[in-house]
């Protein structure tokens, strides 16, 4: 299958596909970061994660429209406001859901799956009723359009680069919050031993609520970033949910580094194969490979060594 | 076979009332269109019964039952499609004698894995064996390495996603997104007539009761007790010398075969099979049928399937918008408030009152077998 291409062509193909893979990688990392907190740290299977992302995307869409109508001068910078609003919207919805539903189910992880699936159906229908069934796309500000011509054969879209930079930034913030801040230490203490953490004076209920809110908030930011590279519909969240779970599980559920490594492996594998095979077959092969590796190594790529 | 040891009193009542409902009341009360709808719902209840065994009793939540439903359904559909695509029926095609969707996708001869499906005995065997072998491979790979619970659920979900993408992508071999349609006859017997639909309904009810008896048998043998023990304290069962993995594999394979039989009957009932019954969404819906009916009750699973589907049909006919809100709320309500579903409500609240009203003289616990095994650990 390489016969038809010259060496130079192949180099360019791999560079382009590699870069497309990097954008996919950013997407996966953004989706999986929130889930790595909710599923990896808290053990809650949140099937509505995709819908929290879509909420962020709709908030971004509304902000973009509002800026266009009322503040056209500030339109180039609308995205930063939208991102903050998306974080707040998804995060508060997440905290509400935790209070109403999840906190009753910490001892029954499989049941969180069913309950949050119900939530995802409700949210989907809510989006459809409010925003309509059609997909919506935001208008990009001028500075984000166009692409950067590296060589004759290689060009890199600017919105993709922007999403990548955003991903790196968010990852650093999340890692800081989770591993270096005082609050992050409380989160990890609660995750490791809820009773003991409570005994040393940590308000575990509060920590749970804010952790869940943080995970959902990051999902909202991810959704916000998605509007830069694609359009959003009421059921778009469902397309991502399996991929996201696989990324987190493949990386080793409790490891943030594992999540990033697995997102990189999966996205590069899929993007490179996509050029030579049809998109659906590339997807099938990637998913099959992940499932096969998970069968050989159920704890994922980076497993924490803990006594159970 | 049905004696007081096989069914306790309340289960016997449940069995007889289900028998009356399905064999006498529904066929008399409904026209053939509605009866055919019930027949369609009942094919899902095979999946639900399998899930009672594997999820309710074994604690193994599979989110990929749609795959097995689909495998059974596709095996049946392939046989029926080949019968419908005889050379005489397809002479307008560029290659007569192959299914129409293959002709549209420029295939000129029958793919090798379609050929054995020209034989009916092979197709029947495949309906059981293909899903069983597939479930065995997945189960062996997972349970031997002690993957369970949440991880198993996620991986089965991924398998359901893979299966759907594969079926949709390989249009020439599988009929793609439309599936295998336009199925007409079974050994020359037209399955589309009203008369045939009546017969198929009763055949299906027969199979359903066979499935209920098999499931009840599994539940009452030592195997069923070991499943419950594993669900509660897996390590203790392992330390007692049982091979936990093998019991789990068996439960998973049994659930897969139940689902596949349901799928095959589904194909016969509705005359087509498509990837929309294979993926993640239908698989999770099948889990909710079980959850609504009661994950510990075989009869509950059947009632749950009929009720949820009936609600879906009637609500989505009149208020299409409300249906998803209703279904979502149902999921949440069942999980939060009634973990044992309708059967749990019946066993915990309704039946004790009935018993008190009747001033029952028997001293045995009134909730019988439904919740006697305890609530699930998860």
């Amino acid at each position: 299958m390489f016969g038809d291409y010259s060496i130079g062509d192949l180099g360019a193909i791999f560079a382009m596909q590699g870069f497309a893979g990097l954008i996919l990688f950013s997407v996966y990392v953004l989706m999986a970061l929130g889930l790595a907190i909710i599923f990896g740290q808290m053990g809650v299977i949140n099937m509505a994660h995709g819908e929290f992302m879509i909420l962020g995307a709709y908030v971004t869409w509304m902000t973009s429209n509002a800026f266009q109508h009322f503040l056209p001068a500030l339109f180039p910078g609308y995205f930063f406001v939208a991102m903050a609003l998306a974080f707040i919207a998804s995060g508060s919805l997440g905290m509400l859901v935790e209070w109403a539903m999840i906190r009753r189910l910490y001892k029954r992880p499989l049941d969180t799956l069913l309950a949050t699936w119900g939530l995802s159906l409700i949210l989907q229908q809510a989006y459809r009723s409010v925003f309509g069934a059609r997909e919506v796309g935001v208008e990009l500000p001028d500075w984000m359009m166009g692409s950067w011509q590296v060589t004759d054969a290689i060009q890199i879209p600017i919105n993709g680069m922007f999403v990548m930079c955003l991903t790196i930034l968010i990852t650093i913030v999340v890692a800081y919050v989770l591993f270096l801040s005082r609050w992050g230490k409380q989160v990890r203490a609660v995750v490791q031993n809820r009773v003991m953490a409570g005994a040393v004076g940590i308000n575990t209920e509060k920590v749970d609520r804010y952790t869940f809110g943080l995970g959902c908030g990051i999902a909202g930011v991810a959704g916000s970033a998605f509007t830069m590279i694609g359009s959003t519909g009421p059921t778009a969240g469902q397309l991502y949910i399996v991929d996201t779970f696989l990324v987190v599980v493949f990386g080793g559920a409790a490891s943030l580094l594992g999540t990033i490594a697995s997102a990189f492996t999966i996205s590069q594998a899929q993007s490179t194969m996509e050029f030579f095979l049809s998109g659906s077959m590339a997807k099938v092969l990637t998913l099959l490979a992940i499932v096969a590796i998970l069968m050989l190594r159920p704890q994922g790529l980076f497993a924490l060594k803990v006594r159970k | 076979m049905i004696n007081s040891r096989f069914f306790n009193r309340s289960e016997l009542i449940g069995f007889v009332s289900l028998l009356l409902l399905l064999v006498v009341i529904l066929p008399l009360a409904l026209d053939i269109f509605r009866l055919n709808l019930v027949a369609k719902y009942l094919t899902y209840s095979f999946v639900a019964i399998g899930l009672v065994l594997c999820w309710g009793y074994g604690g193994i939540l599979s989110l990929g039952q749609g795959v097995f439903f689909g495998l059974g359904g596709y095996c049946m559909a392939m046989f029926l499609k080949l019968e419908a695509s005889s050379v005489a029926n397809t002479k307008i095609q560029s290659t007569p004698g192959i299914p129409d969707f293959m002709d549209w996708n420029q295939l000129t001869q029958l793919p090798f894995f379609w050929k054995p499906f020209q034989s009916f005995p092979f197709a029947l065997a495949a309906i059981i064996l293909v899903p069983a072998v597939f479930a065995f491979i997945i189960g062996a790979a997972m349970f031997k390495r002690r993957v369970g619970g949440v991880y198993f659920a996620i991986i089965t979900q991924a398998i359901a996603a893979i299966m759907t993408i594969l079926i949709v992508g390989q249009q020439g071999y599988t009929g793609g997104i439309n599936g295998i349609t336009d199925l007409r006859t079974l050994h020359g017997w037209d399955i589309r007539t009203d008369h045939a639909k009546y017969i198929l309904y009763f055949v299906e009810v027969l199979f359903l009761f066979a499935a209920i008896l098999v499931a009840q048998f599994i539940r009452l043998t030592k195997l069923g007790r070991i499943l419950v023990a594993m669900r509660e304290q897996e390590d203790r069962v392992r330390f007692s010398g049982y091979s936990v993995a093998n019991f789990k594999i068996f439960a998973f394979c049994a659930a897969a075969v139940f689902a596949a039989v349901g799928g095959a009957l589904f194909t016969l009932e509705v005359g087509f099979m498509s990837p929309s019954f294979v993926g993640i969404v239908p698989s999770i819906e099948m889990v909710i049928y079980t959850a609504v009916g009661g994950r510990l009750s075989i009869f509950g699973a059947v009632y749950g399937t009929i009720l949820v589907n009936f609600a879906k049909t009637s609500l989505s006919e009149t208020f299409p918008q409300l249906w998803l809100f209703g279904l979502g709320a149902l999921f949440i309500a069942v999980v939060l408030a009634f973990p044992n579903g309708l059967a749990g409500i019946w066993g915990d609240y309704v039946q004790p009152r009935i018993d008190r009203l009747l001033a029952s003289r028997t001293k045995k616990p009134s909730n019988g077998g439904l919740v006697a095994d305890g609530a699930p650990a998860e």
Side-chain angles (χ1 to χ4, degrees):
Chain A
M1 64 192 195
F2 296 110
D4 305 336
Y5 305 101
S6 71
I7 301 292
D9 282 348
L10 273 181
I13 288 168
F14 278 112
M16 291 279 283
Q17 291 303 111
F19 192 80
L22 281 181
I23 296 180
L24 192 63
F25 163 65
S26 320
V27 171
Y28 278 157
V29 169
L30 281 177
M31 292 190 313
L33 270 181
L35 205 67
I37 294 171
I38 293 174
F39 175 61
Q41 302 289 327
M42 302 177 78
V44 172
I45 314 178
N46 182 15
M47 294 299 284
H49 193 74
E51 278 64 40
F52 282 101
M53 292 186 345
I54 301 305
L55 179 65
Y58 275 120
V59 168
T60 310
W61 176 69
M62 285 191 294
T63 318
S64 136
N65 284 354
F67 267 68
Q68 263 179 329
H69 281 287
F70 305 115
L71 296 165
L74 295 178
F75 184 70
Y78 86 89
F79 184 70
F80 300 97
V81 181
M83 219 166 61
L85 289 178
F87 182 83
I88 294 168
S90 296
S92 359
L93 182 65
M95 272 154 60
L96 185 71
V97 167
E98 203 274 350
W99 171 77
M101 201 161 88
I102 306 291
R103 70 188 166 123
R104 296 158 217 267
L105 299 170
Y106 282 121
K107 289 193 179 124
R108 299 189 279 156
L110 284 181
D111 285 353
T112 58
L113 187 158
L114 294 178
T116 49
W117 179 261
L119 177 72
S120 87
L121 293 181
I122 292 177
L123 287 177
Q124 275 172 34
Q125 186 56 48
Y127 299 150
R128 203 172 289 129
S129 305
V130 176
F131 300 106
R134 281 181 48 221
E135 298 217 326
V136 296
V138 299
E139 201 166 308
L140 292 181
D142 289 335
W143 61 270
M144 231 184 264
M145 306 234 235
S147 57
W148 175 43
Q149 196 83 21
V150 186
T151 67
D152 289 343
I154 304 173
Q155 53 176 344
I156 292 168
I158 290 180
N159 56 356
M161 290 228 299
F162 180 75
V163 170
M164 267 170 55
C165 298
L166 203 65
T167 308
I168 295 169
L169 193 72
I170 295 171
T171 312
I172 292 171
V173 171
V174 169
Y176 172 78
V177 167
L178 221 48
F179 292 105
L180 294 174
S181 75
R182 185 181 162 76
W183 182 72
K185 284 173 187 154
Q186 291 189 345
V187 171
R188 288 185 294 140
V190 172
V191 165
Q192 281 192 356
N193 194 329
R194 189 172 298 267
V195 179
M196 192 59 86
V200 296
I202 296 174
N203 184 346
T204 57
E205 280 192 11
K206 200 171 151 195
V207 168
D208 280 335
R209 192 150 314 144
Y210 282 105
T211 315
F212 197 82
L214 175 71
C216 294
I218 295 171
V221 176
S224 185
F226 278 3
T227 58
M228 301 285 104
I229 45 182
S231 52
T232 309
T235 51
Q238 251 174 17
L239 302 176
Y240 300 116
I241 193 72
V242 174
D243 291 347
T244 317
F245 268 107
L246 279 183
V247 168
V248 175
V249 170
F250 187 53
S255 159
L256 208 60
L257 185 67
T259 303
I260 294 166
S262 91
F264 186 77
T265 322
I266 295 173
S267 59
Q268 288 301 327
Q270 187 172 330
S271 160
T272 314
M273 271 193 285
E274 236 164 42
F275 190 81
F276 299 103
L277 300 162
S278 71
S280 68
M281 280 317 282
K283 182 106 193 175
V284 165
L285 284 179
T286 319
L287 291 181
L288 268 181
I290 300 169
V291 168
I293 294 172
L294 278 178
M295 283 174 173
L296 296 174
R297 201 181 151 77
Q299 69 275 48
L301 290 178
F302 291 73
L304 290 186
K305 286 190 178 61
V306 286
R307 276 170 199 267
K308 293 226 164 145
Chain B
M1 192 161 145
I2 302 166
N3 57 36
S4 58
R5 283 178 63 199
F6 192 71
F7 280 131
N8 64 30
R9 200 192 59 178
S10 68
E11 283 168 336
L12 196 63
I13 296 173
F15 188 81
V16 172
S17 47
L18 189 66
L19 198 70
L20 278 177
L21 179 75
L22 293 183
V23 178
V24 182
I25 300 174
L26 287 182
L28 288 177
L30 301 176
D31 58 36
I32 184 63
F33 174 72
R34 293 277 159 188
L35 196 67
N36 194 39
L37 275 184
V38 173
K40 193 172 123 187
Y41 305 159
L42 286 181
T43 57
Y44 298 130
S45 67
F46 285 84
V47 187
I49 292 173
L51 277 169
V52 168
L53 280 184
C54 122
W55 177 38
Y57 282 88
I60 310 160
L61 176 54
S62 160
L63 294 183
Q65 291 308 96
V67 170
F68 303 117
F69 187 81
L71 281 174
Y74 268 98
C75 284
M76 180 58 95
M78 282 159 85
F79 170 75
L80 297 179
K81 187 70 189 172
L82 286 179
E83 195 179 304
S85 335
S86 62
V87 179
N89 280 341
T90 53
K91 53 180 176 288
I92 51 162
Q93 290 176 183
S94 51
T95 324
I98 64 169
D100 45 13
F101 61 84
M102 291 186 187
D103 194 59
W104 302 332
N105 285 287
Q106 278 91 41
L107 259 67
T108 51
Q109 58 173 347
L110 208 56
F112 71 95
F113 63 91
W114 272 75
K115 281 185 182 140
F117 284 92
Q118 281 160 339
S119 128
F120 189 53
F122 179 87
L124 285 186
I127 289 168
I128 305 290
L129 289 178
V130 172
V133 169
F134 196 56
F136 179 81
I137 294 171
I138 298 169
M142 307 282 287
F143 297 132
K144 292 274 184 200
R145 302 189 61 87
R146 301 192 188 171
V147 181
V150 172
Y151 289 86
F152 184 77
I154 291 171
I155 289 182
T156 46
Q157 195 177 40
I159 291 170
I162 294 172
M163 205 70 180
T164 327
I165 302 172
L166 202 61
I167 292 175
V168 174
Q170 297 298 311
Q171 222 172 21
Y173 300 114
T174 60
I177 190 92
N178 296 319
I180 300 178
T181 53
D182 204 14
L183 306 173
R184 294 165 195 170
T185 54
L186 176 70
H187 268 303
W189 178 56
D190 196 330
I191 57 170
R192 293 168 304 175
T193 61
D194 285 355
H195 180 65
K197 289 210 192 298
Y198 261 113
I199 293 175
L200 278 174
Y201 173 81
F202 285 107
V203 168
E204 189 187 325
V205 170
L206 192 72
F207 271 100
L208 183 68
F209 280 99
I212 289 174
L213 291 177
V214 170
Q216 178 75 352
F217 179 72
I218 292 176
R219 194 170 82 77
L220 286 186
T221 50
K222 197 172 159 192
L223 175 78
R225 292 172 198 283
I226 292 172
L227 282 180
V228 175
M230 278 187 331
R231 185 188 72 198
E232 301 298 334
Q233 278 290 338
E234 190 175 323
D235 283 334
R236 283 195 202 170
V237 178
R238 185 175 291 124
F239 298 152
S240 308
Y242 291 101
S243 164
V244 166
N246 289 347
F247 286 102
K248 283 189 170 178
I249 294 170
F250 178 81
F252 185 52
C253 288
V257 170
F258 278 124
V261 171
L265 288 166
F266 179 89
T267 305
L268 279 176
E269 287 289 347
V270 302
F272 75 99
M273 189 71 215
S274 87
S276 55
F277 306 103
V278 174
I280 295 165
V281 179
S283 297
I284 295 186
E285 277 192 18
M286 290 167 189
V287 171
I288 200 65
Y289 303 152
T290 316
V292 169
R295 64 181 82 166
L296 293 174
S297 163
I298 296 167
F299 301 113
V302 179
Y303 286 117
T305 315
I306 299 175
L307 276 179
V308 176
N309 277 294
F310 181 72
K312 179 177 183 169
T313 312
S314 48
L315 264 181
S316 54
E317 272 169 7
T318 36
F319 313 101
Q321 299 234 320
L322 282 181
W323 163 241
L324 274 183
F325 285 128
L327 186 66
L330 190 66
F331 268 74
I332 296 172
V334 164
V335 169
L336 286 181
F338 316 109
N340 288 328
L342 290 174
I345 300 177
W346 172 260
D348 290 346
Y349 302 104
V350 183
Q351 203 172 17
R353 295 209 178 136
I354 295 179
D355 283 359
R356 239 176 290 141
L357 279 177
L358 294 175
S360 156
R361 276 153 303 179
T362 47
K363 286 275 193 259
K364 59 182 171 180
S366 53
N367 54 3
L370 295 183
V371 278
D373 296 301
E378 291 179 318

